[in-house]
Amino acid sequence: MSAKKIVIFGVTGVQGSSVARALLTDTHTKFKVWGVTRNPASRSSQELDKLGVQLVKGDLEDAQSYADALKDADGVFLNVNFWAAYKGNNAEEARDTEIAQSKAAVDACKAAGVKLIVHSALESYAPTLPIPHFDAKAEVTKYIKEQGVPATFLYTSYYFTNLNSAKLEEKGDETVLQLPLPDDTQIPGFNPNQIGWFARVAFANPEEWTGKDMYACGENVRVSKIARVLSELSGRKYRTMGVSKDDFLALEGKMDKELWLNYRAFVDGHMKRDPAKSLKIVPETQDFMAWASTDKAAIEKFGLSTEYSKNQA
Ligand SMILES: NC(=O)c1ccc[n+]([C@@H]2O[C@H](COP(=O)([O-])OP(=O)(O)OC[C@H]3O[C@@H](n4cnc5c(N)ncnc54)[C@H](OP(=O)(O)O)[C@@H]3O)[C@@H](O)[C@H]2O)c1
């Protein structure tokens, strides 16, 4: 069987590069991996070039720039980055940019006869809780379905890696994780560097996954558990901010609105994920502790021990 050609949008990003690596290391299905980037000379592009990614200079703002690359493609990974157009106060504009760029890419896939789009998806909680960066992806899912383009909808969850940018405050012998959420808030999260393993399952088995939803989630981890695991793995005393729901609600307007809305979706329990289902698709899916004890940046930032992961090996 000839190798399957997969084109990745956002190939230099967290999700896209994970998909590229997963496809290039597949031992069963052979993949030829193409990646669209605005800058093939960048360091991240060059790293992917060395791994065997065929780089295409293209811009989501200009469908002509990547149209040729889609010819003969068996699959496309589509993840359009809301945050690229977001300046902190223009969420609706960034949402509309993501939708327009995504729809143009879907149209180009349809014209080229692409056999499967794996769309990096998020659901909408509107009208109860409109969140522009969720609503954009939900609108694109709707459009792909309307256009009748074969697709798998890969619903993501919170990146555990976001915590590597959380502020830490030293208070006596304790370190307070600056995550302003009530302790019992459950955060559906996953290691985004594993998203490629989910996409790979869909690209390798389109007969099983076309038209289906897939969910990537390692754990619905409580805020209190995050602090507990960091303490266990480090021997240091991590603790939460201990905020109440009212404290959290009072932060509206005082922190980035998109982030606050995203947190609100967790506080109100809108995001539903079942890690058991993710484990069935990708048995290596990491829960929070497995991620924390293997992620280089987390190990460094939080002073974690890698003994746990060694014991799991
Ligand atoms: N953080 C979270 O917890 C989380 C959770 C779930 C979903 N998400 C969603 O994930 C998305 C971000 O994905 P990511 O983390 O993989 O992003 P990322 O690491 O920031 O990478 C962004 C990618 O977008 C590409 N890009 C940006 N503008 C482009 C354009 N005009 N034309 C072509 N390519 C363009 C960049 O490519 P070049 O610069 O090489 O051109 C880069 O590869 C967001 O929409 C976010 O809502 C985030």
Side-chain angles (χ1 to χ4, degrees), residues 12-15 37-38 59-60 79 82 137 156-157 159 162:
T12 55
V14 174
Q15 295 191 27
T37 172
R38 290 165 298 177
D59 192 320
L60 282 157
N79 174 36
F82 169 91
K137 294 205 188 307
T156 59
S157 46
Y159 295 180
N162 292 337

Side-chain angles (χ1 to χ4, degrees), residues 17-83:
S17 62
S18 167
V19 175
R21 284 169 210 277
L23 295 179
L24 288 168
T25 52
D26 190 277
T27 48
H28 301 291
T29 314
K30 285 270 167 276
F31 292 104
K32 281 182 292 189
V33 181
W34 292 44
V36 180
T37 172
R38 290 165 298 177
N39 183 6
S42 71
R43 219 168 88 185
S44 39
S45 291
Q46 285 305 304
E47 271 174 31
L48 293 164
D49 177 74
K50 282 193 199 111
L51 291 178
V53 175
Q54 171 77 46
L55 296 170
V56 177
K57 185 171 164 54
D59 192 320
L60 282 157
E61 280 294 314
D62 172 14
Q64 280 307 315
S65 65
Y66 55 76
D68 277 351
L70 297 175
K71 285 182 189 154
D72 309 320
D74 293 285
V76 162
F77 180 73
L78 181 61
N79 174 36
V80 177
N81 183 15
F82 169 91
W83 306 100

Side-chain angles (χ1 to χ4, degrees), residues 164-210:
N164 292 336
S165 339
K167 291 207 178 92
L168 301 177
E169 193 190 341
E170 302 301 332
K171 272 203 175 160
D173 65 345
E174 294 185 318
T175 305
V176 184
L177 183 66
Q178 300 296 299
L179 190 59
L181 292 167
D183 283 8
D184 62 352
T185 307
Q186 282 198 336
I187 302 181
F190 81 125
N191 176 359
N193 300 303
Q194 293 192 318
I195 192 168
W197 303 8
F198 288 86
R200 183 172 71 186
V201 169
F203 286 129
N205 307 286
E207 62 297 334
E208 186 183 344
W209 284 101
T210 301

